[in-house]
Amino acid sequence: MAGKTLTRMDLTEAVFREVGLSRNESSALVESVLGHMSDALATGETVKISSFGTFSVRDKAARVGRNPKTGEEVPILPRRVMTFRPSHLMKDRVAAGNKS
Amino acid sequence: MIRSELIQKIADENPHLYHRDVERIVNTIFEEVISAMARGDRVELRGFGAFSVKKRDARVGRNPRTGDAVEVEEKHVPFFKTGKLLRDRLNKG
């Protein structure tokens, strides 16, 4: 396993190579894709990208948590969390690519 | 929101681009994330979240219908952790 970390820069570079746009514009496009996805999720909308996966927002009920260091009880307020469910295609490709 | 709606939003904001190029751009981004993970790499998108690969150890599973023990091989699965900024936005308003 290579263990490299890709960032926005690498996605920008991929867009730059794929379409004949400037690096600046490629970077802005990567940003707006992430921005639109974030905006939709922030309003509670599910984002479903076929053959990639589904991002959905779930409501979590309030519960009593504990500070693991002090053992003190702390209330955890109701909150929203996001979950990602990878598509079968993604799961298959990740499993196949990392087979030892 | 689905892929085609995302593509449409980007296309609307970029009237100088051909629709098919916007499609290629959006598809390239998702493809790049999948191929990175297929190589065992991480993709860290500050503010949005990070995609990584987690190893699941081999285990003895059971056929739920027959109860038979079956060897399940070690495998790697995709994992996503929501970024701090997005997590905070989910809980505002």
Side-chain angles (χ1 to χ4, degrees), chain A residues 45-70:
Chain A
E45 215 185 311
T46 296
V47 176
K48 200 169 182 167
I49 307 295
S50 56
S51 73
F52 185 82
T54 304
F55 299 89
S56 47
V57 179
R58 285 177 38 197
D59 281 301
K60 293 276 221 177
R63 63 186 172 88
V64 178
R66 224 172 253 285
N67 179 330
K69 206 170 282 176
T70 62

PDB file of all heavy atoms in Angstrom, chain A residues 45-70:
ATOM      1  N   GLU A  45     -29.999  17.734   2.824  1.00  0.00           N
ATOM      2  CA  GLU A  45     -30.278  16.980   1.608  1.00  0.00           C
ATOM      3  C   GLU A  45     -29.297  15.810   1.466  1.00  0.00           C
ATOM      4  O   GLU A  45     -28.129  15.925   1.841  1.00  0.00           O
ATOM      5  CB  GLU A  45     -30.116  17.925   0.406  1.00  0.00           C
ATOM      6  CG  GLU A  45     -31.078  17.676  -0.731  1.00  0.00           C
ATOM      7  CD  GLU A  45     -30.757  18.580  -1.915  1.00  0.00           C
ATOM      8  OE1 GLU A  45     -30.588  19.797  -1.724  1.00  0.00           O
ATOM      9  OE2 GLU A  45     -30.659  18.044  -3.021  1.00  0.00           O
ATOM     10  N   THR A  46     -29.756  14.710   0.899  1.00  0.00           N
ATOM     11  CA  THR A  46     -28.890  13.580   0.596  1.00  0.00           C
ATOM     12  C   THR A  46     -28.201  13.830  -0.742  1.00  0.00           C
ATOM     13  O   THR A  46     -28.823  14.344  -1.666  1.00  0.00           O
ATOM     14  CB  THR A  46     -29.738  12.292   0.507  1.00  0.00           C
ATOM     15  OG1 THR A  46     -30.303  12.039   1.795  1.00  0.00           O
ATOM     16  CG2 THR A  46     -28.921  11.089   0.090  1.00  0.00           C
ATOM     17  N   VAL A  47     -26.932  13.509  -0.820  1.00  0.00           N
ATOM     18  CA  VAL A  47     -26.213  13.665  -2.087  1.00  0.00           C
ATOM     19  C   VAL A  47     -25.844  12.277  -2.596  1.00  0.00           C
ATOM     20  O   VAL A  47     -25.084  11.549  -1.957  1.00  0.00           O
ATOM     21  CB  VAL A  47     -24.945  14.538  -1.915  1.00  0.00           C
ATOM     22  CG1 VAL A  47     -24.151  14.600  -3.211  1.00  0.00           C
ATOM     23  CG2 VAL A  47     -25.328  15.942  -1.455  1.00  0.00           C
ATOM     24  N   LYS A  48     -26.432  11.936  -3.736  1.00  0.00           N
ATOM     25  CA  LYS A  48     -26.272  10.587  -4.258  1.00  0.00           C
ATOM     26  C   LYS A  48     -25.516  10.647  -5.583  1.00  0.00           C
ATOM     27  O   LYS A  48     -26.042  11.164  -6.570  1.00  0.00           O
ATOM     28  CB  LYS A  48     -27.673  10.010  -4.502  1.00  0.00           C
ATOM     29  CG  LYS A  48     -27.738   8.529  -4.593  1.00  0.00           C
ATOM     30  CD  LYS A  48     -29.195   8.110  -4.569  1.00  0.00           C
ATOM     31  CE  LYS A  48     -29.349   6.614  -4.601  1.00  0.00           C
ATOM     32  NZ  LYS A  48     -30.732   6.245  -4.264  1.00  0.00           N
ATOM     33  N   ILE A  49     -24.297  10.164  -5.577  1.00  0.00           N
ATOM     34  CA  ILE A  49     -23.483  10.191  -6.789  1.00  0.00           C
ATOM     35  C   ILE A  49     -23.384   8.751  -7.300  1.00  0.00           C
ATOM     36  O   ILE A  49     -22.708   7.920  -6.687  1.00  0.00           O
ATOM     37  CB  ILE A  49     -22.061  10.758  -6.492  1.00  0.00           C
ATOM     38  CG1 ILE A  49     -22.151  12.131  -5.789  1.00  0.00           C
ATOM     39  CG2 ILE A  49     -21.242  10.844  -7.769  1.00  0.00           C
ATOM     40  CD1 ILE A  49     -22.761  13.241  -6.604  1.00  0.00           C
ATOM     41  N   SER A  50     -24.060   8.481  -8.390  1.00  0.00           N
ATOM     42  CA  SER A  50     -24.108   7.112  -8.904  1.00  0.00           C
ATOM     43  C   SER A  50     -22.704   6.594  -9.171  1.00  0.00           C
ATOM     44  O   SER A  50     -21.838   7.336  -9.611  1.00  0.00           O
ATOM     45  CB  SER A  50     -24.934   7.059 -10.181  1.00  0.00           C
ATOM     46  OG  SER A  50     -24.403   7.966 -11.117  1.00  0.00           O
ATOM     47  N   SER A  51     -22.493   5.359  -8.880  1.00  0.00           N
ATOM     48  CA  SER A  51     -21.224   4.632  -8.996  1.00  0.00           C
ATOM     49  C   SER A  51     -20.089   5.225  -8.141  1.00  0.00           C
ATOM     50  O   SER A  51     -18.944   4.824  -8.260  1.00  0.00           O
ATOM     51  CB  SER A  51     -20.791   4.422 -10.447  1.00  0.00           C
ATOM     52  OG  SER A  51     -20.335   5.615 -11.012  1.00  0.00           O
ATOM     53  N   PHE A  52     -20.426   6.167  -7.275  1.00  0.00           N
ATOM     54  CA  PHE A  52     -19.446   6.660  -6.303  1.00  0.00           C
ATOM     55  C   PHE A  52     -19.930   6.320  -4.887  1.00  0.00           C
ATOM     56  O   PHE A  52     -19.309   5.525  -4.189  1.00  0.00           O
ATOM     57  CB  PHE A  52     -19.235   8.167  -6.466  1.00  0.00           C
ATOM     58  CG  PHE A  52     -18.151   8.728  -5.588  1.00  0.00           C
ATOM     59  CD1 PHE A  52     -16.816   8.637  -5.954  1.00  0.00           C
ATOM     60  CD2 PHE A  52     -18.461   9.343  -4.376  1.00  0.00           C
ATOM     61  CE1 PHE A  52     -15.807   9.146  -5.142  1.00  0.00           C
ATOM     62  CE2 PHE A  52     -17.458   9.848  -3.557  1.00  0.00           C
ATOM     63  CZ  PHE A  52     -16.131   9.749  -3.939  1.00  0.00           C
ATOM     64  N   GLY A  53     -21.058   6.938  -4.517  1.00  0.00           N
ATOM     65  CA  GLY A  53     -21.599   6.648  -3.200  1.00  0.00           C
ATOM     66  C   GLY A  53     -22.649   7.661  -2.799  1.00  0.00           C
ATOM     67  O   GLY A  53     -22.941   8.593  -3.549  1.00  0.00           O
ATOM     68  N   THR A  54     -23.191   7.483  -1.610  1.00  0.00           N
ATOM     69  CA  THR A  54     -24.257   8.350  -1.117  1.00  0.00           C
ATOM     70  C   THR A  54     -23.855   8.994   0.199  1.00  0.00           C
ATOM     71  O   THR A  54     -23.444   8.309   1.133  1.00  0.00           O
ATOM     72  CB  THR A  54     -25.537   7.531  -0.899  1.00  0.00           C
ATOM     73  OG1 THR A  54     -25.863   6.878  -2.122  1.00  0.00           O
ATOM     74  CG2 THR A  54     -26.706   8.416  -0.471  1.00  0.00           C
ATOM     75  N   PHE A  55     -23.963  10.327   0.250  1.00  0.00           N
ATOM     76  CA  PHE A  55     -23.733  11.055   1.487  1.00  0.00           C
ATOM     77  C   PHE A  55     -25.099  11.380   2.065  1.00  0.00           C
ATOM     78  O   PHE A  55     -25.929  11.971   1.377  1.00  0.00           O
ATOM     79  CB  PHE A  55     -23.005  12.376   1.229  1.00  0.00           C
ATOM     80  CG  PHE A  55     -21.642  12.221   0.609  1.00  0.00           C
ATOM     81  CD1 PHE A  55     -21.487  12.174  -0.771  1.00  0.00           C
ATOM     82  CD2 PHE A  55     -20.509  12.134   1.409  1.00  0.00           C
ATOM     83  CE1 PHE A  55     -20.225  12.043  -1.342  1.00  0.00           C
ATOM     84  CE2 PHE A  55     -19.249  12.017   0.844  1.00  0.00           C
ATOM     85  CZ  PHE A  55     -19.102  11.965  -0.533  1.00  0.00           C
ATOM     86  N   SER A  56     -25.344  11.003   3.312  1.00  0.00           N
ATOM     87  CA  SER A  56     -26.628  11.376   3.873  1.00  0.00           C
ATOM     88  C   SER A  56     -26.459  11.940   5.273  1.00  0.00           C
ATOM     89  O   SER A  56     -25.452  11.714   5.942  1.00  0.00           O
ATOM     90  CB  SER A  56     -27.601  10.210   3.856  1.00  0.00           C
ATOM     91  OG  SER A  56     -26.976   9.068   4.341  1.00  0.00           O
ATOM     92  N   VAL A  57     -27.454  12.708   5.673  1.00  0.00           N
ATOM     93  CA  VAL A  57     -27.404  13.381   6.959  1.00  0.00           C
ATOM     94  C   VAL A  57     -28.385  12.686   7.889  1.00  0.00           C
ATOM     95  O   VAL A  57     -29.517  12.402   7.503  1.00  0.00           O
ATOM     96  CB  VAL A  57     -27.793  14.866   6.790  1.00  0.00           C
ATOM     97  CG1 VAL A  57     -27.783  15.585   8.126  1.00  0.00           C
ATOM     98  CG2 VAL A  57     -26.842  15.552   5.823  1.00  0.00           C
ATOM     99  N   ARG A  58     -27.925  12.372   9.093  1.00  0.00           N
ATOM    100  CA  ARG A  58     -28.793  11.687  10.048  1.00  0.00           C
ATOM    101  C   ARG A  58     -28.902  12.483  11.332  1.00  0.00           C
ATOM    102  O   ARG A  58     -27.939  13.122  11.747  1.00  0.00           O
ATOM    103  CB  ARG A  58     -28.237  10.291  10.353  1.00  0.00           C
ATOM    104  CG  ARG A  58     -28.468   9.319   9.219  1.00  0.00           C
ATOM    105  CD  ARG A  58     -27.846   7.982   9.506  1.00  0.00           C
ATOM    106  NE  ARG A  58     -27.970   7.610  10.922  1.00  0.00           N
ATOM    107  CZ  ARG A  58     -27.240   6.662  11.492  1.00  0.00           C
ATOM    108  NH1 ARG A  58     -26.334   6.032  10.807  1.00  0.00           N
ATOM    109  NH2 ARG A  58     -27.414   6.369  12.763  1.00  0.00           N
ATOM    110  N   ASP A  59     -30.058  12.414  11.941  1.00  0.00           N
ATOM    111  CA  ASP A  59     -30.252  13.079  13.223  1.00  0.00           C
ATOM    112  C   ASP A  59     -29.924  12.113  14.344  1.00  0.00           C
ATOM    113  O   ASP A  59     -30.389  10.977  14.352  1.00  0.00           O
ATOM    114  CB  ASP A  59     -31.712  13.537  13.361  1.00  0.00           C
ATOM    115  CG  ASP A  59     -31.956  14.812  12.578  1.00  0.00           C
ATOM    116  OD1 ASP A  59     -31.268  15.807  12.875  1.00  0.00           O
ATOM    117  OD2 ASP A  59     -32.805  14.809  11.668  1.00  0.00           O
ATOM    118  N   LYS A  60     -29.119  12.587  15.279  1.00  0.00           N
ATOM    119  CA  LYS A  60     -28.772  11.765  16.436  1.00  0.00           C
ATOM    120  C   LYS A  60     -29.495  12.322  17.652  1.00  0.00           C
ATOM    121  O   LYS A  60     -29.529  13.532  17.861  1.00  0.00           O
ATOM    122  CB  LYS A  60     -27.272  11.844  16.698  1.00  0.00           C
ATOM    123  CG  LYS A  60     -26.426  11.196  15.610  1.00  0.00           C
ATOM    124  CD  LYS A  60     -26.316   9.725  15.848  1.00  0.00           C
ATOM    125  CE  LYS A  60     -24.908   9.255  15.561  1.00  0.00           C
ATOM    126  NZ  LYS A  60     -24.757   7.840  15.863  1.00  0.00           N
ATOM    127  N   ALA A  61     -30.051  11.449  18.454  1.00  0.00           N
ATOM    128  CA  ALA A  61     -30.762  11.879  19.658  1.00  0.00           C
ATOM    129  C   ALA A  61     -29.767  12.281  20.746  1.00  0.00           C
ATOM    130  O   ALA A  61     -28.602  11.903  20.700  1.00  0.00           O
ATOM    131  CB  ALA A  61     -31.632  10.740  20.150  1.00  0.00           C
ATOM    132  N   ALA A  62     -30.252  13.039  21.700  1.00  0.00           N
ATOM    133  CA  ALA A  62     -29.416  13.428  22.831  1.00  0.00           C
ATOM    134  C   ALA A  62     -29.111  12.186  23.661  1.00  0.00           C
ATOM    135  O   ALA A  62     -29.915  11.259  23.724  1.00  0.00           O
ATOM    136  CB  ALA A  62     -30.151  14.451  23.688  1.00  0.00           C
ATOM    137  N   ARG A  63     -27.944  12.164  24.284  1.00  0.00           N
ATOM    138  CA  ARG A  63     -27.623  11.055  25.190  1.00  0.00           C
ATOM    139  C   ARG A  63     -26.628  11.545  26.231  1.00  0.00           C
ATOM    140  O   ARG A  63     -26.058  12.635  26.101  1.00  0.00           O
ATOM    141  CB  ARG A  63     -27.055   9.862  24.418  1.00  0.00           C
ATOM    142  CG  ARG A  63     -25.753  10.172  23.727  1.00  0.00           C
ATOM    143  CD  ARG A  63     -25.322   9.000  22.852  1.00  0.00           C
ATOM    144  NE  ARG A  63     -24.177   9.353  22.033  1.00  0.00           N
ATOM    145  CZ  ARG A  63     -22.919   9.224  22.422  1.00  0.00           C
ATOM    146  NH1 ARG A  63     -22.636   8.741  23.617  1.00  0.00           N
ATOM    147  NH2 ARG A  63     -21.917   9.579  21.625  1.00  0.00           N
ATOM    148  N   VAL A  64     -26.447  10.726  27.251  1.00  0.00           N
ATOM    149  CA  VAL A  64     -25.491  11.096  28.280  1.00  0.00           C
ATOM    150  C   VAL A  64     -24.158  10.461  27.936  1.00  0.00           C
ATOM    151  O   VAL A  64     -24.044   9.251  27.801  1.00  0.00           O
ATOM    152  CB  VAL A  64     -25.963  10.636  29.671  1.00  0.00           C
ATOM    153  CG1 VAL A  64     -24.930  10.996  30.724  1.00  0.00           C
ATOM    154  CG2 VAL A  64     -27.301  11.272  29.998  1.00  0.00           C
ATOM    155  N   GLY A  65     -23.148  11.284  27.773  1.00  0.00           N
ATOM    156  CA  GLY A  65     -21.821  10.771  27.479  1.00  0.00           C
ATOM    157  C   GLY A  65     -20.960  10.866  28.715  1.00  0.00           C
ATOM    158  O   GLY A  65     -21.421  11.279  29.781  1.00  0.00           O
ATOM    159  N   ARG A  66     -19.722  10.465  28.583  1.00  0.00           N
ATOM    160  CA  ARG A  66     -18.818  10.503  29.720  1.00  0.00           C
ATOM    161  C   ARG A  66     -17.467  10.993  29.247  1.00  0.00           C
ATOM    162  O   ARG A  66     -16.989  10.581  28.189  1.00  0.00           O
ATOM    163  CB  ARG A  66     -18.680   9.079  30.262  1.00  0.00           C
ATOM    164  CG  ARG A  66     -18.738   8.980  31.754  1.00  0.00           C
ATOM    165  CD  ARG A  66     -18.780   7.517  32.145  1.00  0.00           C
ATOM    166  NE  ARG A  66     -20.108   7.114  32.613  1.00  0.00           N
ATOM    167  CZ  ARG A  66     -20.596   7.442  33.809  1.00  0.00           C
ATOM    168  NH1 ARG A  66     -19.903   8.210  34.622  1.00  0.00           N
ATOM    169  NH2 ARG A  66     -21.782   7.029  34.180  1.00  0.00           N
ATOM    170  N   ASN A  67     -16.879  11.865  29.990  1.00  0.00           N
ATOM    171  CA  ASN A  67     -15.515  12.266  29.693  1.00  0.00           C
ATOM    172  C   ASN A  67     -14.625  11.074  30.032  1.00  0.00           C
ATOM    173  O   ASN A  67     -14.541  10.682  31.190  1.00  0.00           O
ATOM    174  CB  ASN A  67     -15.147  13.482  30.542  1.00  0.00           C
ATOM    175  CG  ASN A  67     -13.710  13.938  30.277  1.00  0.00           C
ATOM    176  OD1 ASN A  67     -12.849  13.132  29.940  1.00  0.00           O
ATOM    177  ND2 ASN A  67     -13.484  15.219  30.445  1.00  0.00           N
ATOM    178  N   PRO A  68     -13.991  10.465  29.039  1.00  0.00           N
ATOM    179  CA  PRO A  68     -13.245   9.229  29.293  1.00  0.00           C
ATOM    180  C   PRO A  68     -12.069   9.445  30.233  1.00  0.00           C
ATOM    181  O   PRO A  68     -11.589   8.514  30.874  1.00  0.00           O
ATOM    182  CB  PRO A  68     -12.783   8.797  27.909  1.00  0.00           C
ATOM    183  CG  PRO A  68     -12.939   9.981  27.026  1.00  0.00           C
ATOM    184  CD  PRO A  68     -13.929  10.901  27.654  1.00  0.00           C
ATOM    185  N   LYS A  69     -11.591  10.682  30.336  1.00  0.00           N
ATOM    186  CA  LYS A  69     -10.435  10.951  31.178  1.00  0.00           C
ATOM    187  C   LYS A  69     -10.849  11.087  32.654  1.00  0.00           C
ATOM    188  O   LYS A  69     -10.238  10.518  33.533  1.00  0.00           O
ATOM    189  CB  LYS A  69      -9.747  12.227  30.700  1.00  0.00           C
ATOM    190  CG  LYS A  69      -8.265  12.265  31.052  1.00  0.00           C
ATOM    191  CD  LYS A  69      -7.536  13.417  30.378  1.00  0.00           C
ATOM    192  CE  LYS A  69      -7.218  13.140  28.922  1.00  0.00           C
ATOM    193  NZ  LYS A  69      -6.594  14.292  28.266  1.00  0.00           N
ATOM    194  N   THR A  70     -11.933  11.827  32.873  1.00  0.00           N
ATOM    195  CA  THR A  70     -12.327  12.095  34.252  1.00  0.00           C
ATOM    196  C   THR A  70     -13.493  11.238  34.722  1.00  0.00           C
ATOM    197  O   THR A  70     -13.770  11.159  35.919  1.00  0.00           O
ATOM    198  CB  THR A  70     -12.738  13.564  34.415  1.00  0.00           C
ATOM    199  OG1 THR A  70     -13.882  13.788  33.563  1.00  0.00           O
ATOM    200  CG2 THR A  70     -11.634  14.517  33.990  1.00  0.00           C
TER     201      THR A  70
END
